Amino acid sequence: MEDERSVVEVMRSMGLADEVVTRVSRLWGKSAARNGGRTHLLLGHLLDTAAVAGVMWDQYVSAAFRRRLDEVSGGRGRSWFMWVCGIHDCGKACPAFQAMDAAEAVPVLAAGLTWGRLPAGRGKRWRHDVAGAALLLPRLVAEWGDEEAAGWVWPLVAGHHGTFPSAAALDPPRGAQGRGAAWEEAQRAVVDVFTCAVGFDGLVDVRPVGSLRKAEQLALSGLIVMADWIASDSSHFVGLSDADLVSFASARRRAEAAWERLRLRGGWRDLALPEDPLEPLIRRLGVRPRASQRELVERAWSMPVPGLLVAEAPMGEGKTKAALAAAEILAARFGLDGVFVAMPTQATSDPMYEQVLQWVRSFDPELESQVALLHGRRRFNAWWRSIWSGMPRPDGGGCGCRGEGPAGATGMADDDFGAIDEDAEYDMVSAHSSSEWAAGAGADGPAYWFLDAKRGLLTAFAVGTVDHLLYAATRTRHVMLRFAGLAGKVVVVDEVHAADVYMRQFLVEALRWLGQAGVPVVLLSATLPPAQRQRFVDAYLSGVLGTADVHQAVPEPAGYPCVTVAYGADGGAAVAETSREAVRAWRESAPVRLAWLPDVDPAGTPVAAAVRKAVADGGVALVVVNQVARAQAIYRDLQEGGFDGVLHLLHARLCAAHRADRTAECLRLMGPQAGEDRPERMVVIATQLAEQSFDVDADVLITDLAPADLLLQRIGRLHRHGGTRRPAAHHVPQVLVTGVAPGRDGVPRFLHASKQIYGEWSLLRAAALVTEAAGPLAGGGTGVSTASGWSIPTDVPELVARAYGDAGICPAGWDESGAWERWSAKEREREKNAEEFLLCRRREWAFPTLEGLHYAGSRAASEEQLDAVVRDGDPSVEVVIVRRASGGYRGIDGTWLGVHGEVDDDEVTDRLMGGTVRLPPGLTEAAQDELSPLPGWAGRPWLRYRLALVLEEDGTRLLGVHRVSYHEALGLVIERQAR
């Protein structure tokens, strides 16, 4: 039973002098001015946070992490977790904080806790998070007699506002920490009273018997922040200014009520082991297991401890469903509470979200509301909106929750930190209480508290872009919150080959931290170079072993598909194993004919002509090019030439609504369920959006040359589904490779855009491999290959290995070595650039604590900048396209907005937001200088910070030196204006 005594009674039972009781009873933690009009005492907030931590332990924290906290606390994990979460704000018991609000300071001063003139400059301000560590550290060392234990606990207090300082930062400015017996007694009493109130005999009793590893400390730090933010919500934790009303028992009742009202919960909660080894595949996912799927599931069963699984299998093999089945097994075996599935793009995240929704429902229908979709355009996913916004379901059912949140509920996405009040003085922003969104909603509805970008991974189940995994490996503010969201889950990364050398730096860093935290990770790829597989294994094992330079050679797989596993064995040994017997692919390998279509003109006229010829007698053609303007030009050529058939254009500069509609239509007409809907003649012209996780089946592929692994991904869209009816001319899969032309002495010339994106070396290597299959480039253009072609998927591993191997493969005279040197120099520079933002430098990896993790500061302030950090690009911005009309504005679909762009309701907001498009990075500076939200958007949460790209009545506008326009079919068109 929780202690019903008030803190005053606890203090008196401890024998504290009356004046100390009075002084401690006056210390405030939340000011009335920033806490809903009511002062909240410091001890009240500490106990509230501890009580929230207790509820989190019971209903949220994974079994695996509970076991670890039990181990380091000598079997008292729950109490210890409450203590470490609650003690976070003890540093507010110092003059620097108590003097921040003049009204709140009056009773503190009157009780005899006084101060002189305090440092006023921002750079000299004594922050209460650091003050707490300075107050606590000497006591922990003295009373625990264990500098190692004190050394990993104090950064948890010092870092609760998002950054971890170094020990040198614990030296307070003169007078800021408090001097004299009165302050010393009060500070000691705050720690002791809180410690006793949560159930310990004293501070000595709290001493841990072991240490968490650094990654586990980072996860614990994130949980402390989570508990603090929940307990800082004044609508659930009403301020108490009378210490006689403050008790741990009342804090527990407040915490339980708040948790219920916020609808917070964990995921599986001690998931039971499946009765049959293949049950997760057969019963849960409804699949007839293929050999490669069985292999992955069997590995998940046999791995003795949490580890890394790398599944390599051909496109369309069913890797993702196998990964979900493996995730269930790993979670049940090792005590994980949910799953994060990382996808390469927003477009690939949406169908995966719907698949995970269906999978999660099979465990418990109520878990549906615990599945988050993490990307900037989730509002346009009909299932996400049905669940999180109370909109009608896509299948015609009711809304996604029993009680609907109020209009604008999704505005919680703008709330970065919740009501954290005085913490706003430390670069934090007070915002609306999350309770206003929860009022009136059913208990099984979604928890809007999780909607903030930094909180999304804390949801039990999440699907999103891989960026969210990469963000958790950056030295940025509140990285611990993101990492805490990963640490209780199984992490699945699909299409892992899609990470380039820059992004791989962050992926490798994330794998180190996940390995050290004991998080099972499943990586999926159809085209993974062996060197990348080795690097991922080494990174994960370096985390497991806590050493920067682990190299455990991965045996050569017996065949393809294959599964590689890596984990740490007893005694600190590293283990890396791979499939010892060849695993049969789902379908037999088939010959693919390759031929050249020389063309490096961005207009793509020969490509359009080849498309007409390819489908002259019927068929479905997919054209994948490396540049938006080239895709638009080919589409325009076909359209204006009177193409007789279904024609679609798909690229990243379509507005959100058009892109979603077209993607869905392409999947309907070319997807696995197309059947009789498949057109007689159809052409889809796309950019790299169609490269991966795009489950369509084309009869013929025309593609710009790309690096070999990406070229094979594109070929994976060809003859993908069994039983598809095809014209006789397309019974054998055919690929026309363009975007390249013979140059001087037969050396290939590439599209300028392709060289900018991929570099010359990887394109030369790909051209050499295609030449082996299609014949010399100089003889191309006939569309008929006299060479051997490729056998897919049998040839995939060898082609990828050769493309990225050390041996030269290009004909003499192509200057392969020079291209390699230029490429390597650029890659080394990119790796060096990435190191600036990595969560931990190599020389720091062996450090045992979080001390000084952020000593270099946070270099990425906004989400846009964070995107650029992990993807090595210039920052880009999204804009909402509107059209100026007589007397006001209209949305891209013609919706009337009003004189100042006023939006009256959510339905209009949805239609308007359908006009969202991301500008290319070259227009970012001009957009930030010239664009702003419309005045009528100020009161709309989803719109008030959105830049409006206002097109004039002629449909265009000048943005910097570019004339931009938007066309229904072509999307955003950008033309540079002549000076």
Side-chain angles (χ1 to χ4, degrees), residues 677-882:
D677 289 338
R678 186 178 176 88
E680 292 294 325
R681 182 181 292 104
M682 177 175 176
V683 175
V684 176
I685 302 153
T687 56
Q688 292 92 333
L689 293 181
E691 198 166 80
Q692 54 208 0
S693 296
F694 188 50
D695 193 9
V696 297
D697 182 335
D699 297 323
V700 61
L701 172 70
I702 302 178
T703 173
D704 279 346
L705 185 70
D709 54 331
L710 303 183
L711 190 62
L712 288 164
Q713 286 289 334
R714 296 177 187 185
I715 292 173
R717 314 306 119 194
L718 191 61
H719 288 225
R720 184 179 177 91
H721 305 137
T724 303
R725 57 179 174 83
R726 308 182 196 280
H730 296 303
H731 279 175
V732 176
Q734 184 178 11
V735 181
L736 295 181
V737 181
T738 185
V740 58
R744 185 180 303 171
D745 299 326
V747 178
R749 291 186 298 119
F750 305 115
L751 277 167
H752 177 70
S754 299
K755 285 180 66 174
Q756 291 293 106
I757 297 167
Y758 302 118
E760 186 180 23
W761 175 75
S762 60
L763 292 173
L764 282 173
R765 305 271 288 192
L769 293 172
V770 174
T771 297
E772 295 175 3
L777 175 61
T782 64
V784 178
S785 171
T786 58
S788 59
W790 287 339
S791 180
I792 303 296
T794 297
D795 290 347
V796 169
E798 182 188 359
L799 289 168
V800 174
R802 291 181 64 203
Y804 290 97
D806 297 327
I809 60 173
C810 296
W814 282 22
D815 190 23
E816 182 179 6
S817 60
W820 160 254
E821 289 299 330
R822 291 188 294 274
W823 182 84
S824 297
K826 186 173 181 180
E827 297 299 87
R828 285 193 297 270
E829 182 182 355
R830 296 177 74 203
E831 285 190 345
K832 185 177 179 181
N833 291 341
E835 284 177 7
E836 292 185 29
F837 301 99
L838 291 177
L839 183 51
C840 190
R841 289 181 171 87
R842 286 177 65 84
R843 63 179 179 272
E844 302 160 3
W845 180 241
F847 290 4
T849 79
L850 298 170
E851 179 201 343
L853 191 69
H854 285 87
Y855 73 92
S858 173
R859 295 176 179 252
S862 69
E863 290 298 315
E864 287 82 2
Q865 288 170 311
L866 201 54
D867 288 339
V869 163
V870 298
R871 289 191 179 260
D872 191 27
D874 295 322
S876 60
V877 296
E878 283 192 333
V879 298
V880 179
I881 300 173
V882 295

Side-chain angles (χ1 to χ4, degrees), residues 47-107:
L47 291 173
D48 284 344
T49 309
V52 169
V55 182
M56 287 170 59
W57 178 276
D58 297 337
Q59 302 190 37
Y60 180 82
V61 179
S62 70
F65 203 65
R66 296 198 306 269
R67 280 198 298 268
R68 283 295 291 134
L69 290 179
D70 271 332
E71 289 169 8
V72 301
S73 66
R76 299 178 300 172
R78 187 176 186 275
S79 297
W80 197 88
F81 181 58
M82 292 192 294
W83 180 86
V84 77
C85 288
I87 201 66
H88 75 286
D89 260 355
C90 66
K92 287 183 174 179
C94 74
F97 183 84
Q98 295 296 313
M100 285 177 60
D101 186 291
E104 304 292 355
V106 170

